Amino acid sequence: MEEPLIFKGLRNQLVQHLQDKGIKDVNVLNAIAKVPRHLFVQQGFEKLAYEDKPFPIACGQTISQPFTVALQTELLQVQKFDKVLEIGTGSGYQAIILAELGTNIYTIERQRELYIKANGMFNLLKYSIKSFLGDGYEGKEAYAPFKKILITAAIPEIPQKLLNQLAVGGRLVAPIGEGNEQIMTIIDRISEQEYTTSHHEKIFKFVPMLKGLV
Ligand code: SAH
């Protein structure tokens, strides 16, 4: 799709900014340089879409700040063809970044309106992403195990159900915490029974992960 040249320039500036903030993964930076984030924000706000800020989407939800998308994606350490489960489709932007990295992506959203809109974006931009309306607390048993699981809403703790759906050798990244601050947490499944946990030092503010459908 043709787009005004200005957006490519703004994306390159954003990539430079993310590099300055410590994002190193070239594949992640290339994906951000390519995906038209301005198509995911409300009309009239397109030129602001490449500032490093979260943005309102429908249903009182937000598209994550580019730095957060870049960091979560970098921490996930995806390889081409990895089967990835994203919880919290929202605008669909993060799912498309993961698809750009060559992963096989499954994404779940609990709000029907966002689910429909995100599907529209996947079709418009021609990404083959398996998207589901559902409660992310349940994961997606039918397609498990996943090599990677990415949670993009604040979760108080990771339910065993989701940990069970992680492949041995796989990794889950999630902002964990109650209230309005979360710690970015990395859980590696190192064997059938063993998981190791590590943290990224920065504090985040995600919208909460809620139970049930809307
Ligand atoms: N990844 C998104 C941003 C996510 S905002 C993007 O790139 O735009 C968090 C999203 O999680 C919201 O859309 C919210 O509706 C959704 N959400 C919250 N609780 C959920 C749950 N239990 N299951 C699935 N999605 C959930």
Side-chain angles (χ1 to χ4, degrees):
M1 203 190 323
E2 280 303 313
E3 62 166 12
L5 258 179
I6 179 170
F7 291 121
K8 184 74 194 151
L10 291 172
R11 273 202 296 283
N12 288 339
Q13 281 175 23
L14 174 61
V15 164
Q16 182 61 53
H17 165 84
L18 294 174
Q19 271 179 307
D20 294 345
K21 277 183 90 173
I23 302 297
K24 293 189 179 64
D25 188 320
V26 176
N27 295 328
V28 173
L29 293 166
N30 286 344
I32 289 181
K34 185 164 171 204
V35 179
R37 189 172 190 259
H38 63 277
L39 299 182
F40 296 80
V41 302
Q42 290 165 305
Q43 264 191 357
F45 290 85
E46 288 86 350
K47 285 191 182 143
L48 301 176
Y50 296 104
E51 293 188 11
D52 190 15
K53 291 185 182 147
F55 243 95
I57 50 176
C59 310
Q61 304 302 312
T62 50
I63 174 173
S64 303
Q65 181 181 348
F67 174 72
T68 305
V69 173
L71 182 74
Q72 283 199 298
T73 312
E74 185 169 80
L75 291 174
L76 210 56
Q77 294 185 349
V78 294
Q79 309 280 338
K80 247 189 178 166
F81 310 121
D82 275 354
K83 195 199 275 186
V84 182
L85 176 67
E86 181 199 24
I87 298 176
T89 315
S91 67
Y93 177 77
Q94 169 78 73
I96 287 180
I97 293 287
L98 287 164
E100 239 340 289
L101 292 167
T103 66
N104 176 13
I105 161 112
Y106 295 73
T107 182
I108 311 177
E109 172 58 52
R110 70 184 278 275
Q111 304 232 30
R112 187 176 300 273
E113 185 180 338
L114 294 175
Y115 159 77
I116 292 170
K117 264 188 139 171
N119 275 328
M121 292 304 289
F122 301 150
N123 291 335
L124 177 75
L125 298 175
K126 301 193 167 51
Y127 286 93
S128 139
I129 288 172
K130 275 85 60 198
S131 117
F132 303 89
L133 180 65
D135 182 354
Y137 279 100
E138 299 296 316
K140 209 73 208 153
E141 186 71 59
Y143 298 97
F146 296 96
K147 192 72 199 286
K148 306 284 159 66
I149 298 179
L150 178 62
I151 302 183
T152 67
I155 185 164
E157 59 176 346
I158 309 296
Q160 190 59 43
K161 212 172 204 170
L162 287 181
L163 293 174
N164 291 344
Q165 293 181 27
L166 191 62
V168 172
R171 167 171 281 200
L172 177 151
V173 172
I176 300 187
E178 303 195 62
N180 59 7
E181 292 199 338
Q182 304 91 39
I183 297 176
M184 195 57 78
T185 306
I186 301 133
I187 299 177
D188 290 306
R189 185 170 194 177
I190 54 172
S191 73
E192 226 16 84
Q193 303 300 336
E194 294 164 291
Y195 297 84
T196 57
T197 302
S198 55
H199 302 283
H200 187 269
E201 71 276 10
K202 214 175 159 298
I203 298 291
F204 290 86
K205 290 181 199 295
F206 281 76
V207 295
M209 185 155 154
L210 303 172
K211 294 215 160 114
L213 301 188
V214 187

